[in-house]
Amino acid sequence: MAMLSDELLLDSYHMAVELMLDHDFIALLLAEIHKRNLETSSESLVH
């Protein structure tokens, strides 16, 4: 199974927030970010 790299996951999350994509999609990306114990400065934008 192919997975996104951490960097690509974070980039995808930031772009999804910037483009105001579907909240459920953003939440899915954010859940994976948390699962990988990564940090992002834009988490407050979706809460």
Side-chain angles (χ1 to χ4, degrees):
M1 170 173 31
M3 282 203 321
L4 290 175
S5 68
D6 291 348
E7 182 180 358
L8 187 54
L9 174 61
L10 290 170
D11 288 347
S12 298
Y13 170 76
H14 289 290
M15 185 63 70
V17 169
E18 185 177 320
L19 295 173
M20 296 183 285
L21 298 183
D22 182 72
H23 179 76
D24 290 338
F25 177 67
I26 293 172
L28 182 68
L29 293 173
L30 191 56
E32 183 62 24
I33 288 169
H34 288 161
K35 180 179 170 185
R36 297 185 193 190
N37 294 315
L38 303 175
E39 293 184 20
T40 179
S41 60
S42 297
E43 288 184 34
S44 61
L45 295 175
V46 296
H47 295 292

